[in-house]
Amino acid sequence: MKSAPAVISVAFVLGLLTWLLLHGLNINSARYDSQLRALGDFTRFERGMTREVLTARAGLSRNYDALVHMVNAYDDALTRLRDTAGLDAEQTRVIDVLSARADRQESLIERFKSRNALLQSSFAYFGLFSDRLAASESRPLVTAASALAAAMLRLTLDTSDAAARQVEDRLEELAQLQAPPAETDSVHALLLHGQMLHDLLPDIDTILKTLVAESNNREQDAMLAVILKRQLAARASARKTRLLQYITSLLLLSGIIYFGMLLRKRAMALRRRAAFEHVIANISMLFINSSNDGIDADVEMALRQLAGCIGADRAYFACVVGTTMHTYRWSRDGIAFEPGWPERVLSLAPRLDGGEDGIVYIPRMNASHPHDAMLTEAGVSGWLCIMAAYGSRDGILGFDAVRGGALTYWSEVSLFRMAFDAIGNAIRRTRLEGEKERLQASLQQARRMETIGTFASGIAHNFNNIVGAILGHAEMADARVAPGSRPAASLAEIRRAGERARELVEQILGFGRRGEGRRERVCLRTLVDETRSLLAASLPSHVTFEVDETADIAIVTGEPAQLQQVILNLCNNAAQAMKEPGRIELRIKVHDLAKPLSIGRSEVGPGRFTVISVADPGPGMDEATLERIFEPFFTTRPDGNGLGLATVREIVEQHGGAVAVQSRPDAGTRFDIWLPSGEPVEPQPAQHGSDPAFLGAGETVLVIDTDRRRLLRYEEILAALGYEPVGFTGLAEAIAACRAAHARFDAALVCHLPGGSSLDLAAALHDAAPALPIILAAPSTRDLAMPSLKTSGITELVHHPLASAELASALARSLVSSATSGRLRRAAGAC
């Protein structure tokens, strides 16, 4: 379909040229020449016929062969005239007139031929008998015959009425003579032929006169005029056609020159495009082996090559990757960039209309235009800017003309989109490769951490025993001291530290797993107060710890133990960095972000955030150290392990926050922890003691633990809570006891067993006593799925090592649920 206009145009030009050729050749000229020759032959042969007739009349011609040839040629000329006339009505009418005259001429000639034959015969006999009578002996007869011959001779020359009457008189005189008998026949014959000649000669002369009168040029002239008119018109048309041919030739020549210029321009554009694509290919090849360290030099070289394609004095590429702007520049020798250029282009470009392709091309600036004036102030006289596609404004490729006055005009500047993509893809690729290297390093670190986590999990069981002993003895000692006394306060602190230790054990067991832990609403003021008591015993004597109180109640959602670990790590690091007396300041502030904010390597917001700031007046850090402080196992202290700050950032980012650090050598350091904040509602303080409502009333609890010493401690805790414990260290003994007396036990407590057999043990108990509520004590509940718990008959989960308050609540809920289920079963049986 696209070639149809071109085909129609070519067909039209060919048709026009053919028409001009045919009309310029004046093909009718040959026809008119043929008509003129035919008309000339017609006139010539007509005159020849008249000449032959006169010759035959004078007796000079003895036959009519020449006359017949003339008549045939005469007819042929008329036929040729009629054939060449074609459909011309005017010529046809004139030829019809000539044809009618030719018919008359030929009819007269035929009459002449027949009359002239008799005339010549009569002349012969008339002369013969005249000669005979002239030799007669009768003088009157001779005289009369001679007078008749003289009169006949005159009639031959003059066929007027007087000459005819004279011949007629002579004939009458001869007829009245008395001829001798011997001459009677001759006289009779002479009178007969004389009378015939008297009649034929005037008739033949009349035919000759008519034939001569018909042989005028009036009809030929009319035909000649028509032919000449047609010939002149054809010549005039041919002259016009030749003029049109000349004009058409000029137009075609102009068209050829124009299209030749277009082809030359197109060829130059194709050569320029090929050169540009060659530059793009070289740039792409250059970027194939670009590394993260050499990308700056490669981009600068690419900008130099691209600037040469358009005659630019400056070239630059700016893009935003994440929250960081990357800028690459190139300029000719002696030409510098204006301050803030090209960074300002990122804000200027969106205000200009780049069209659908996002390209702004101004070969020469117009100072009267507002946007052009802004560019002129920056020393730009010609500008090409390629913005990121799809409406994104986070990247530009720009070219400036400074000294040259204007950029080289090029209609295919859209090809620079390929250059933009090539450079952008190369930068993204190198950044991704750098990110890949970082992720690989993180993977190696994760594998090391996994090894550490495996090792930590291996010792967690023994650590649990220690923590369990601390909590158990604290519970039993708390029952023997007076509430509100100093020993009670110390036991409360011991119990609180043991509970944090238990949570840390759970955290160690879940180390390396990326699943969300058990989150709760945490009041940071309460958390900091608890942390302050822990820091009081661990901070050096020359370091003081101060908290800047805030009027707002800061609430975050997270794991208290992990958040406390963040504060402890930051404060301990600050204390270890301080070699001289000083103080660590901790501040808590709440910020409302209306738009996203870049913090460190992360982006937070919008929303409400709580910022925990830990500042110290220590020696500070340089840029090189700041770049690596969050790397695992990187440390500047001989006795450090390099896990503190890495753990801090990992915990904070898992909570949806970010970490920022500000430090300079000899100017101290400040860490800002940004955490998503909840509604400012003061949470209820934790109840560490046993609520009297949750104490038992002598219910029997089956306890299973493979460690006899730990089993005895748990039995003491249950007895202190008002329950009757029955302990077992073996699975078979417990199952046998359940099967022997189904109603003996009100609940079962299955403690953690190494090797992951706790769920199997609970399932076996459930099979032996389906109605028995089972409580599972586990150091970590991250990997316990609800379907497996339900299948094993477990109704409650508590932390291991045991805490009396948590265990009392779980037992109370299990017994209530068991009693309700029993009543429902009994009611159903009664129905």
Side-chain angles (χ1 to χ4, degrees), residues 450-472:
E450 183 181 3
T451 302
I452 296 174
T454 303
F455 176 73
S457 298
I459 65 173
H461 177 68
N462 294 327
F463 187 64
N464 267 339
N465 292 336
I466 299 172
V467 173
I470 294 173
L471 289 176

Side-chain angles (χ1 to χ4, degrees), residues 709-790:
R709 294 178 58 187
R710 192 170 55 236
L711 177 62
L712 293 175
R713 187 167 58 251
Y714 293 161
E715 288 178 343
E716 291 181 1
I717 293 175
L718 288 171
L721 293 177
Y723 296 97
E724 180 182 350
V726 177
F728 297 92
T729 58
L731 174 61
E733 297 175 357
I735 293 176
C738 288
R739 289 178 177 174
H742 292 283
R744 178 183 178 185
F745 303 107
D746 297 298
L749 174 62
V750 177
C751 297
H752 174 67
L753 298 178
S757 60
S758 300
L759 290 178
D760 297 336
L761 191 150
L765 285 178
H766 183 64
D767 292 339
L772 183 68
I774 300 174
I775 301 172
L776 177 64
S780 175
T781 60
R782 295 175 183 265
D783 297 330
L784 298 178
M786 290 303 297
S788 62
L789 297 177
K790 184 176 181 181

Side-chain angles (χ1 to χ4, degrees), residues 475-535:
E475 291 282 350
M476 290 185 291
D478 186 57
R480 296 182 175 89
V481 299
S485 62
R486 183 178 296 274
S490 299
L491 288 174
E493 290 297 327
I494 293 173
R495 185 170 55 250
R496 186 177 297 111
E499 291 173 353
R500 295 299 186 199
R502 184 181 60 184
E503 293 177 359
L504 287 176
V505 170
E506 182 180 359
Q507 191 173 346
I508 292 173
L509 292 175
F511 190 82
R513 291 188 287 250
R514 299 305 180 195
E516 290 290 337
R518 189 175 295 161
R519 301 288 179 87
E520 59 185 65
R521 292 171 58 84
V522 179
C523 175
L524 289 182
R525 179 183 298 175
T526 304
L527 185 68
V528 170
D529 290 340
E530 294 178 359
T531 307
R532 181 187 303 180
S533 63
L534 295 175
L535 288 173

